[in-house]
Amino acid sequence: MPQVLEFRLPDLGEGLTEAEIVRWLVEVGDVVAIDQPVVEVETAKAMVEVPCPYGGVVTARFGDEGAELPVGAPLLTVAVGSAVESAGGGAEADSGTEDSGSGNVLVGYGTGAPPGRRRRVRPEGLKAPVAVSVAPVEAPAPAPASVADPAPGPVAVVSPLVRRLARQHDLDLRGLAGSGPDGLILRADVESAIRSAAEAPAPQAAASSAPAGERVALRGVRGAVADKLARSRREIPDATCWVDADATELMAARAAMNGAAGAPKVSVLALLARICTAALARYPELNSTVDQEAREIVRLPQVHLGFAAQTDRGLVVPVVRDAHARTTESIGAEIARLTEAARAGSLTPAELTGGTFTLNNYGVFGVDGSTPIINHPEAAMLGVGRIVPKPWVHEGELAVRQVVQLSLTFDHRVCDGGTAGGFLRYVADCVERPALLLRSV
């Protein structure tokens, strides 16, 4: 006898608690195979195709494209079993036993086969994929939220996301009537109550003081960036130092490298990244993080170098793994690959997390200097401005040279100004005299 299994949005790892439905890859009535991608979602980290661990006929989808769902919320239901196999023309499906499903993990996310809520279908079986006994329904419409006087006792809420949303809007959950099973308060109930409160007539004084203008939700990548930058400013006592450097010889060295027949092109960012790894080998204090609870500085053995990349979805920081063990050419190839993936929106959370030091080339925006905000929980970030011709004293005479401003923002808990200045001075020396790098090759 066929059964209907519920597939819920899996835990996407890396502390992610929600995802936005970008595109459904299946329709109600479609026959799906085990581990077939069924929906494309966007998290605060990346775009992901989510595979379903069950094979059978899709009987319902929950959530429209553009809707944001918390982890654990129903995504779709699938009818599985022998009757479904017949209806689907031999589609791959499980036997409907309690351990059905692939059990595979979503690569890079650590998801397992989620427990399914199972419901019986009619014993006659299924005649065709669209004749599933469970009516295809979309996400249940939220019932009008009640704002009755708060009642004592426990609140019927299981989602931390719902509690946080209510807390952010000073909403007392005890005054809401949930539209979920057994009166469970859903996110839609909270959002309905928030809208009702916003639409309620307000005193004239309050209405006149409310700011007018377009409101843009801080969600997805932009919301994640906002949270991380705010946390960095709250927790890290940062300081910034900067220096101008003559990059004429660096640019000449790059031109010579790129002039070699058949050799891959080397970018300025790749050269600067290689300089950073050499500098971190001399000043490992800046390749650290702080364990505030243990009151310890953790110096990290590998350099996982992040670099800021601007995309249509916002600012992201892909990470070059084990940059300390790579050549300039290898670093450049990995930067190119990650940049292309960032623009396509296909970076995985593993490619966006775990950095130990960040390089930010804001010179591409045509500016000379900046005070970078540290990418929490790292300890430092090197900022690079544009490289432009400027008057410069070279070998005792005034000349026009290619000049760049370098700025280092560092966590003052991991080192003092002497160490930070030494790091930045070494970077500037390598920019001015690239041959210094030969000592550490």
Side-chain angles (χ1 to χ4, degrees):
M1 181 179 297
Q3 291 181 305
V4 175
L5 308 183
E6 185 177 77
F7 175 46
R8 296 171 178 265
L9 179 64
D11 180 0
L12 303 178
E14 302 291 348
L16 301 172
T17 60
E18 58 192 358
E20 179 180 333
I21 296 176
V22 175
R23 182 167 59 101
W24 281 104
L25 306 177
V26 295
E27 301 286 344
V28 171
D30 285 355
V31 177
V32 297
I34 291 176
D35 291 338
Q36 175 182 332
V38 292
V39 65
E40 185 180 66
V41 301
E42 180 180 16
T43 71
K45 302 291 186 183
M47 297 270 248
V48 185
E49 286 189 352
V50 180
C52 178
Y54 310 122
V57 177
V58 177
T59 62
R61 299 186 321 194
F62 299 98
D64 297 326
E65 293 179 355
E68 198 169 57
L69 300 179
V71 169
L75 271 178
L76 50 75
T77 53
V78 180
V80 304
S82 57
V84 175
E85 290 177 350
S86 300
E92 183 179 4
D94 62 36
S95 62
T97 58
E98 286 299 316
D99 60 351
S100 60
S102 68
N104 290 342
V105 299
L106 187 59
V107 176
Y109 292 83
T111 64
R117 186 179 66 198
R118 300 161 192 273
R119 292 178 289 175
R120 296 288 181 180
V121 297
R122 291 182 304 194
E124 303 91 282
L126 303 172
K127 302 301 183 183
V130 294
V132 180
S133 60
V134 177
V137 294
E138 295 296 326
S146 167
V147 288
D149 292 335
V155 181
V157 178
V158 296
S159 170
L161 182 64
V162 172
R163 291 185 181 275
R164 185 180 66 184
L165 185 63
R167 192 163 55 245
Q168 290 172 344
H169 291 83
D170 296 324
L171 186 66
D172 192 341
L173 290 171
R174 294 173 299 174
L176 297 186
S179 61
D182 300 323
L184 182 68
I185 297 175
L186 307 178
R187 177 173 180 166
D189 300 324
V190 174
E191 291 176 339
S192 176
I194 293 171
R195 285 194 299 270
S196 298
E199 293 168 359
Q204 186 63 32
S208 61
S209 64
E214 180 185 4
R215 292 177 178 264
V216 180
L218 282 174
R219 56 193 292 186
V221 172
R222 189 169 298 278
V225 170
D227 292 341
K228 176 163 279 197
L229 296 181
R231 184 176 182 183
S232 178
R233 278 289 191 235
R234 280 196 311 270
E235 297 184 8
I236 299 178
D238 59 347
T240 302
C241 53
W242 57 90
V243 66
D244 290 340
D246 180 358
T248 305
E249 289 192 22
L250 181 71
M251 300 305 288
R254 175 176 177 258
M257 293 177 188
N258 291 340
K265 300 298 182 182
V266 176
S267 67
V268 174
L269 189 61
L271 290 172
L272 292 169
R274 180 64 186 87
I275 290 172
C276 281
T277 60
L280 290 171
R282 288 174 171 252
Y283 299 92
E285 297 92 335
L286 293 168
N287 195 58
S288 304
T289 188
V290 174
D291 186 338
Q292 188 62 40
E293 292 185 3
R295 296 187 62 79
E296 294 175 341
I297 297 171
V298 183
R299 293 184 181 172
L300 305 168
Q302 292 90 21
V303 176
H304 300 317
L305 187 70
F307 64 95
Q310 191 70 38
T311 72
D312 293 340
R313 300 170 59 238
L315 180 69
V316 295
V317 184
V319 177
V320 177
R321 301 283 165 184
D322 298 314
H324 62 289
R326 294 176 180 263
T327 63
T328 303
E329 184 176 306
S330 173
I331 291 174
E334 184 66 355
I335 287 176
R337 184 189 72 81
L338 291 169
T339 300
E340 183 177 351
R343 290 171 179 163
S346 60
L347 288 170
T348 67
E351 292 170 328
L352 285 164
T353 53
T356 63
F357 184 93
T358 296
L359 174 61
N360 186 356
N361 180 20
Y362 43 73
V364 297
F365 302 119
V367 298
D368 295 328
S370 178
T371 54
I373 299 177
I374 295 173
N375 189 20
H376 185 280
E378 298 169 15
M381 178 185 290
L382 179 70
V384 182
R386 60 178 180 163
I387 302 175
V388 293
K390 287 185 179 181
W392 190 266
V393 176
H394 177 65
E395 296 181 351
E397 295 184 357
L398 187 63
V400 176
R401 306 286 286 181
Q402 299 291 321
V403 179
V404 62
Q405 184 178 101
L406 307 169
S407 55
L408 176 72
T409 298
F410 64 98
D411 186 338
H412 223 312
R413 296 172 298 179
V414 305
C415 69
D416 295 326
T419 299
F423 174 93
L424 186 58
R425 188 64 256 172
Y426 179 78
V427 170
D429 289 344
C430 288
V431 167
E432 295 183 341
R433 291 172 289 160
L436 286 175
L437 281 176
L438 294 174
R439 296 178 180 176
S440 57
V441 171

